[in-house]
């Protein structure tokens, strides 16, 4: 774990969970697993406060616990689940793209709460939908269906249930049922419970019930108490990964080829274990059926597309078998490697220039080369090539292997072979991404802090204006209030808004690079 | 005139072929007498004292050194002097000139180094220079600047493999390269051993006075680890001693086992003779230190010091010049192909070609895409073969030199390394039957510029110095500021 990573984590924790969470989080990052008392003591926090913080972090899946041999409980921060926070906007967006507004809200709420019961989530979402939707009321039935659909497509999973101990002896940590496979189904008991409550409420008369429920939630005995749900990060990551592959094919061949790939990925996505390098084989007919009709791909065209994809030099798609009109698989590892390479190349191209890039790519293609050969292949004059090569070597994009001809390693009798170690470069760039991300977030915080007074004022003014409007005051009054912000202040506000937007957008883009690099490294580790 | 010429020939031959070549000399003279050519019968009649075996050997030697030509007339083999018409070209010139001309002609389109000319004709440098100038002004030969000595040397090595004579010359080359320090061989692969040496002015210890002479020195004493028992590490920098000579011999032994010790001795002797100086003290020194095997040749090493005294700069300056006949088109290895003009790499030219090739392919890809045919046809239409591209480029007329398909393929390779183009090889398709056809097509990048590079930090020159709360920090960063205001 590098400083950059820790910095970034600490920033995320501070931004979303407050300074105490940051303290605890960083402490856990630096010290590894730690028992509660140690945490409290070392950070000189109150025990209750520490406990609460740990609750929160656990609620958001950031902290894990396990039983130490000696019988006390240790807490551990899961750094990946902290960093995944940066990806939330993309998760929400994906849900929206896939299933529409309801799904978007479901995912958003769920991410916001970390873990929550189904009934509570449904209520919240229905409420929010009704608030925003003018006119027609959104039925809670609809929301429920959407939720079940998300569970079935594995974007939402059930948290492992706590098993009741039969011995009756108090245990240090709760034990969980380990029946993994049913986390992606909604148990009928839960469904019934939620439904029965609904029915009861609709009998009561909807208006009142909603009001009452809003105040009561905390005390009310939830019908599905104890069954919590959470977002399946892994599944979302897979979805995003698939998007990258599809986009790459789209750029490389065309839209329809991308759709073909999407169909293959879709067909095998639910039954996939992420630890295998290829997808399950999908037959030609299945692909044909899965393709959207409006694309107008007939069997002949599909044939050609598949042939092109299989022949492509990137070799994403392989023909696994001839049975069933041909079985096709997608080589995920290779795909990720290619995409990751494309990103690395992009970095070299943008940072150094196209001549440097030529050398870099040359090394990637030919693996090990001597300086002389590089000059000749790349057709770059020796002097320039040397400069470029050494600069990239200095920035660690290129590595050297020494092959001595004599045991004394004398430079004059040694071959120096240059090469590119992709996973090494990827790791290095990932570090740089973390740092850049940290820089961006820091800058954003800085800008907001600088203009804090102004932003507060704007908020106040807006609140007053809103309340005036609600109470039905005449527009002139409202204008008066709004004029409390001077034009220069307004300009400044616009500027701040522009800046924060820009920074946030860059953060999202940067996150994409992080995602690609992380996913690649994951696959790289597999073999 | 013929007699005079024959004398010159004989002299050269004696040097090149060594003793026992009376027969060869006789053959040459016969050839000169009968310009139309001679048969084996003629030789036999003229010199009955040699048997068939000897004749064959002599003729083979002459053929391999290019002195004579083998022709077929009817069912008879005829030997003829190779330079019959060359001789007429240099009519009126001295015998030395003819000899030099012949040597240059032999070199063909690879050209020949002035030093080699000297060793082949055994004339003094000044004389060779004069002759070369003379021939040049007559437009019989020309000097061509060689791109790299290395490629030329390598070519030579290949040819020389079976030719002992050239082998000898090559050894000489090594020795001379050794003397010249790394200057002559600074990019030679075979002579890495010498990379550590340089010529320096050192106090002349042999003479015992303080006058400065040139000597050899280890360029970088540290590059030699003590473990390698290199004598120089102990003795410091002066090296006009005999130890390098030992080293040299060892080197020759190790690296050119095909050249026997005696070969080395021969060439050393020759060097010694040409240098004409003795230094008995040196050889004693060496004899005491070298293995018995080497001792016999150790006395030849006396040449080393005197040679080191010679000024080598003049030759170093002209080392990249090779001579060839005036109307000969220089070989690629000499000119470096189309990419060199006056031995400078024309990077701009390469860039222009690179761009033009890409433009061509890109256009092709776009038209293919717009044609809206089926995907397979679309893909195939985007491909262009290297010969097509070559034609296109030559029609554009950007290049003054004629570009071959291989030249264009080199350019296309750079496009592959640029990540803009991909190649697929089709067997047996198109032009030359049975051969392969190389097809190229433009391919787009599969990702837009990555997120990291769209932030100022991605291209920041002080990225590693930037820390929160530091002198350079994200909060006061000017790059950020500019970027945000934009
Ligand atoms: S914040 Fe500014 S100084 Fe720091 S790395 Fe980014 S661009 Fe460079």
């Amino acid at each position: 774990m590098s400083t950059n990573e820790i910095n970034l984590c600490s920033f995320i924790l501070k931004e979303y969970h407050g300074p105490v969470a940051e303290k605890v989080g960083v402490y856990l990052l630096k010290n590894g697993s730690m028992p509660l008392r140690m945490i409290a003591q070392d950070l000189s926090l109150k025990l209750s406060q520490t406990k609460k913080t740990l609750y929160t972090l656990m609620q958001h899946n950031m902290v894990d616990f396990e039983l130490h041999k000696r019988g006390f409980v240790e807490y551990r921060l899961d750094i990946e689940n902290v960093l995944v926070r940066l990806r939330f906007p993309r998760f929400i967006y994906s849900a929206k793209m896939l299933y529409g507004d309801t799904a978007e809200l479901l995912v958003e709420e769920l991410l916001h709460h970390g873990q929550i019961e189904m009934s509570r989530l449904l209520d919240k979402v229905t409420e929010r939908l009704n608030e925003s939707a003018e006119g027609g009321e959104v039925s809670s039935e609809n929301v429920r269906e959407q939720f079940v659909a998300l569970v079935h497509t594995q974007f939402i999973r059930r948290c492992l249930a706590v098993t009741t101990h039969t011995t009756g002896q108090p245990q240090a940590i709760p034990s969980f049922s380990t029946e993994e496979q049913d986390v992606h189904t909604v148990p009928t008991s839960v469904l019934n419970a939620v439904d029965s409550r609904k029915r009861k409420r609709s009998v009561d008369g909807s208006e009142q019930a909603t009001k009452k429920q809003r105040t009561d939630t905390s005390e009310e005995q939830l019908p599905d108490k104890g069954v919590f749900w959470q977002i399946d990060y892994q599944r979302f990551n897979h979805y995003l990964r698939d998007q990258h592959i599809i986009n790459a094919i789209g750029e490389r061949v065309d839209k329809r080829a991308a759709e073909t790939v999407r169909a293959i990925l879709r067909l095998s996505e639910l039954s996939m274990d992420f630890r295998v390098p290829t997808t399950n084989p999908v037959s030609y007919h299945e692909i044909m059926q899965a393709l959207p009709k409006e694309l107008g791909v007939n069997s002949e065209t599909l044939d050609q597309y598949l042939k092109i994809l299989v022949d492509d030099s990137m070799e994403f798609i392989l023909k696994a078998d001839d049975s069933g009109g041909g079985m096709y698989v997608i080589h995920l590892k290779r795909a990720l490697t290619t995409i990751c390479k494309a990103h690395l190349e992009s970095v070299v191209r943008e940072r150094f220039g196209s001549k440097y890039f030529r050398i870099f790519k040359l090394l990637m293609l030919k693996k090990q080369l001597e300086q002389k050969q590089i000059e000749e292949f790349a057709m770059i004059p020796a002097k320039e090539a040397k400069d470029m090569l050494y600069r990239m070597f200095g920035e660690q994009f290129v590595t050297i292997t020494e092959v001595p001809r004599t045991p004394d390693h004398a430079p004059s009798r040694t071959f120096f072979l240059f090469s590119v170690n992709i996973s090494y470069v990827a790791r290095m760039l990932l570090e740089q991404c973390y740092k850049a991300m940290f820089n961006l977030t820091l800058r954003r915080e800085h800008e907001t802090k600088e203009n804090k007074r102004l932003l507060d004022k704007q908020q106040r003014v807006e609140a007053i204006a809103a309340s005036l409007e609600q109470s039905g005051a005449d527009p002139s009054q409202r204008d008066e209030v709004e004029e409390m912000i001077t034009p220069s202040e307004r300009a400044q506000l616009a500027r701040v808004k522009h800046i924060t937007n820009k920074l946030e957008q860059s953060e999202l883009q940067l996150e994409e690079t992080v995602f690609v690099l992380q996913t690649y490294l994951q696959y790289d580790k597999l073999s | 005139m013929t007699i005079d010429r024959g004398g010159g020939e004989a002299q050269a031959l004696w040097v090149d072929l060594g003793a026992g070549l009376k027969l060869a000399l006789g053959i040459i003279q016969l050839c000169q007498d009968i310009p139309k050519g001679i048969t084996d019968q003629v030789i036999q009649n003229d010199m009955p004292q040699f048997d068939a075996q000897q004749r064959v050997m002599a003729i083979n030697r002459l053929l391999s050194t290019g002195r004579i030509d083998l022709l077929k007339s009817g069912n008879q083999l005829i030997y003829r002097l190779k330079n019959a018409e060359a001789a007429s070209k240099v009519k009126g010139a001295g015998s030395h000139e003819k000899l030099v001309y012949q040597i240059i002609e032999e070199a063909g389109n690879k050209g020949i180094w002035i030093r080699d000319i000297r060793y082949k004709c055994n004339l003094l440098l000044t004389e060779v220079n004069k002759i070369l100038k003379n021939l040049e002004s007559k437009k019989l030969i020309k000097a061509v600047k060689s791109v790299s000595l290395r490629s030329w040397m390598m070519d030579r090595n290949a040819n020389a493999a079976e030719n002992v004579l050239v082998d000898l010359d090559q050894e000489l080359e090594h020795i001379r390269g050794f003397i010249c320090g790394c200057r002559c061989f600074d990019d030679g692969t075979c002579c890495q051993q010498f990379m550590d040496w340089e010529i320096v002015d050192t106090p002349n210890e042999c003479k015992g006075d303080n006058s400065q002479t040139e000597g050899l020195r280890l360029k970088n004493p540290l590059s030699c680890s003590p473990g390698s028992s290199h004598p120089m590490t102990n003795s410091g920098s002066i090296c006009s001693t005999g130890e390098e000579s030992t080293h040299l011999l060892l080197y020759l032994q190790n690296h050119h086992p095909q050249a026997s010790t005696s070969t080395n001795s021969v060439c050393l002797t020759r060097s010694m003779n040409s240098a004409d100086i003795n230094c008995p003290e040196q050889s004693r020194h060496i004899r005491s230190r070298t293995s018995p095997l080497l001792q016999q040749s150790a006395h030849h090493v006396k040449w080393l010091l005197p040679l080191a005294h010679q000024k080598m700069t003049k030759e170093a300056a002209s080392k990249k010049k090779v001579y060839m006949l005036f109307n000969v088109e220089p070989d690629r290895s000499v000119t470096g192909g189309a990419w060199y003009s006056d031995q400078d790499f024309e990077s701009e030219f390469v860039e222009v070609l690179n761009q033009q090739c890409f433009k061509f392919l890109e256009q092709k890809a776009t038209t293919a895409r717009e044609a809206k045919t089926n995907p397979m046809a679309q893909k195939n239409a985007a491909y262009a073969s290297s010969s097509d591209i070559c034609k296109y480029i030559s029609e554009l007329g950007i290049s003054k030199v004629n570009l071959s398909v291989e030249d264009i393929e080199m350019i296309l390779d750079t496009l592959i390394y640029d990540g803009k183009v991909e190649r697929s090889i089709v067997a047996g398709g198109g032009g030359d039957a049975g051969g392969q056809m190389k097809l190229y097509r433009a391919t787009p990048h599969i990702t837009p510029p990555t997120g990291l590079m769209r932030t100022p930090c991605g291209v920041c020159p002080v990225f590693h110095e930037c820390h929160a709360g530091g002198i350079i920090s994200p909060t006061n960063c000017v790059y950020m500021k500019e970027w945000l205001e934009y």
Side-chain angles (χ1 to χ4, degrees), chain A residues 435-436 439-440 443, chain B residues 455-467 472-480:
Chain A
K435 180 161 177 184
N439 288 350
L440 287 177
R443 182 74 184 201
Chain B
T455 67
C457 301
V459 284
C460 175
V462 288
F463 185 80
H464 299 288
E465 281 78 44
C466 173
H467 303 287
I472 303 169
S473 88
T475 39
N476 64 14
C477 163
V478 278
Y479 302 109
M480 257 318 174

Side-chain angles (χ1 to χ4, degrees), chain B residues 284-481:
Chain B
R284 213 183 328 116
H285 193 60
I286 288 165
R287 209 169 303 137
S288 62
R289 276 174 166 263
T290 47
S291 67
L293 188 88
L294 279 175
Q295 276 189 13
Q296 47 165 326
S297 54
H299 68 274
H300 294 309
V301 184
K302 305 162 209 163
W303 57 274
L304 187 81
L305 181 66
L307 270 189
H309 285 232
Q310 276 184 10
K311 277 269 178 231
M312 294 292 179
T313 39
K314 225 194 279 167
E315 277 174 306
S318 62
K319 72 172 190 207
K320 287 199 167 174
K321 251 205 257 172
V322 296
Y323 290 90
M324 60 186 72
L325 292 196
F326 192 76
N327 49 6
V328 169
E329 184 70 24
D331 188 75
R332 267 181 93 100
S333 60
V334 178
T335 58
W339 318 124
Y340 290 82
S341 80
D342 275 352
Q343 67 172 324
D344 286 326
F345 184 72
E346 292 238 43
S347 55
E348 263 170 53
F349 181 46
V350 170
E351 274 326 288
V352 168
L353 283 177
N354 171 296
Q355 279 156 19
Q356 286 302 331
C357 288
F358 180 60
K359 223 162 120 196
F360 177 73
L361 287 171
E362 204 183 26
Q363 231 159 36
K364 215 154 176 196
T366 330
T367 17
R369 219 173 300 129
E370 277 158 5
K372 295 251 183 290
T373 45
N374 66 34
M376 211 59 182
Q378 227 177 76
K379 183 182 171 190
N380 290 338
Y383 277 115
S385 74
S386 47
S387 48
D388 284 351
I389 301 164
C390 184
K391 217 161 83 207
Y392 168 78
I393 294 293
S394 58
E395 273 164 18
L396 270 184
I398 12 178
S399 166
K400 278 188 237 87
V401 276
N402 241 342
L403 293 172
S404 66
V405 176
E406 285 86 58
D407 290 334
I408 291 294
E409 274 171 10
M410 262 176 96
I411 295 282
L412 288 166
D413 278 347
T414 62
L415 275 172
I416 296 176
Y417 309 141
D418 281 343
K420 294 174 177 169
V421 159
E422 76 175 15
R423 178 179 64 191
S424 75
I425 293 175
V426 182
D432 28 29
Q436 335 169 302
M437 194 164 64
K438 289 180 179 154
L439 294 177
Y440 297 81
R441 84 176 165 137
T443 48
H445 293 305
I446 58 167
T447 52
T450 184
L452 176 62
M453 301 324 281
R454 288 195 255 175
T455 67
C457 301
V459 284
C460 175
V462 288
F463 185 80
H464 299 288
E465 281 78 44
C466 173
H467 303 287
I471 297 172
I472 303 169
S473 88
T475 39
N476 64 14
C477 163
V478 278
Y479 302 109
M480 257 318 174
K481 189 153 177 262

Side-chain angles (χ1 to χ4, degrees), chain A residues 161-213:
Chain A
V162 179
T163 49
T164 42
H165 346 102
T166 40
T167 50
Q169 281 215 334
Q171 285 178 333
I173 57 164
S175 53
F176 296 104
S177 74
T178 43
E179 294 156 55
E180 278 266 4
Q181 57 280 45
D182 65 354
V183 296
H184 292 302
T185 51
V186 187
T188 28
S189 61
V190 175
L191 267 186
N192 290 340
V194 172
D195 286 348
S196 70
R197 192 185 58 139
K198 290 253 168 58
R199 239 172 280 127
K200 202 167 77 209
R201 215 185 317 140
S202 53
V203 172
D204 286 357
S206 55
E207 249 323 283
Q208 265 176 331
T210 346
K211 270 244 169 72
K212 183 171 155 240
Q213 189 253 334

Side-chain angles (χ1 to χ4, degrees), chain B residues 3 11 45 49 54 65 86 218 304 321 332 362 397:
Chain B
I3 292 165
Q11 194 184 356
N45 291 343
Q49 70 269 39
Q54 279 170 309
T65 49
L218 255 191
L304 187 81
K321 251 205 257 172
R332 267 181 93 100
E362 204 183 26

Side-chain angles (χ1 to χ4, degrees), chain B residues 159-175:
Chain B
N159 295 340
E162 65 277 287
N163 193 334
V164 187
L165 285 174
V166 186
D167 224 319
L168 277 177
D169 276 341
Q170 209 189 332
E171 291 309 326
L172 258 181
E173 220 48 78
H174 286 307
I175 293 157

